[in-house]
Amino acid sequence: MNYLQQALSYLCSANNWAGPVGLAARTLEHLQYTAAAVAASALIAIPIGLIIGHTGRGTLLVVGAVNGLRALPTLGVLLVGVLLWGLGLVPPIVALMLLGIPSLLAGSYAGVSNVDPAVVDAARSMGMTETQVLLHVEVPNALPLILGGLRTATLQVVATATVAAYASLGGLGRYLIDGIKVREFHIALVGAFMVAALALILDAMLAFAVWLSVPGTARPRRRGWNGPPARSDRTGRPACGPESRRLRWTGEPSLL
């Protein structure tokens, strides 16, 4: 029996899913680490990205921070955190948080800065304050890009959260480390399968959320109705034929 067959057999066994060290418990721990790191990243990156995108000041700071944080090795940051704070939850959360900040910061900044200036000027001409313009005009229009950044950050964090096992924590990384340590490579393959499946599920959910955030996509559509009939003469009587079913706006005023 090869490693793939052994891994599939391990996944199909109900006994391996139960208990405090079963697959279900390890998956829940992995999701907890991911949620904590992404939430911490969002609390830091999204407000900064919104403010810089709204004011237009500090663009170089965003570019430098995104490039610098992406260059940091997560495992190296984890080892430094272990030396500073010891084993526990803090070092992996800090390392994963630094991994998630660049995508969220870039998505928030790009979303707000790319809002149509005409829309922003119209909101200001209506008497809105800068805070109201940001929260009620720019953020709703920037939501697809913000959620796109959240999607990227979540995938990066959930795929890298296996490093938490290096800090004597749980999660799906335990299968990778323990399987390689005892040379039971099918156990490591089980951990890899679970991380990949979890990443695909989260990606599909966040992709659907991004689709819903695009203006107009979640609006219900009625079938079988193509608008009111077109007028054919000055009396307002509906015209007959296929032309009456067409609704086309050309931007030119009607002569009727």
Side-chain angles (χ1 to χ4, degrees), residues 244-256:
S244 64
R245 300 187 184 93
R246 296 181 182 176
L247 290 176
R248 182 178 299 172
W249 171 249
T250 62
E252 300 175 357
S254 175
L255 299 178
L256 296 179

Side-chain angles (χ1 to χ4, degrees), residues 25 29 32 36 54 60 80 115 126 128 132 139 183 223:
E29 291 172 350
Q32 290 173 347
H54 175 72
L60 294 178
V80 172
V115 175
M126 294 174 61
M128 287 187 175
Q132 291 174 333
V139 170
R183 301 186 64 83
R223 294 183 177 180

Side-chain angles (χ1 to χ4, degrees), residues 13 24 43 50 53 66 82 89 93 102 113 124 134 164 180-181 199 201 228 235 249 255-256:
S13 178
L43 289 176
L50 295 181
V66 168
V82 170
L89 186 61
I93 295 301
S113 62
R124 286 172 178 158
L134 175 61
I180 295 175
K181 182 178 180 180
I201 293 172
T235 62
W249 171 249
L255 299 178
L256 296 179

Side-chain angles (χ1 to χ4, degrees), residues 114-136:
N114 288 325
V115 175
D116 190 353
V119 177
V120 178
D121 292 339
R124 286 172 178 158
S125 66
M126 294 174 61
M128 287 187 175
T129 64
E130 293 300 317
T131 303
Q132 291 174 333
V133 170
L134 175 61
L135 297 180
H136 299 292

Side-chain angles (χ1 to χ4, degrees), residues 50-67:
L50 295 181
I51 293 173
I52 295 178
H54 175 72
T55 60
R57 300 174 182 175
T59 304
L60 294 178
L61 175 63
V62 173
V63 176
V66 168
N67 293 332

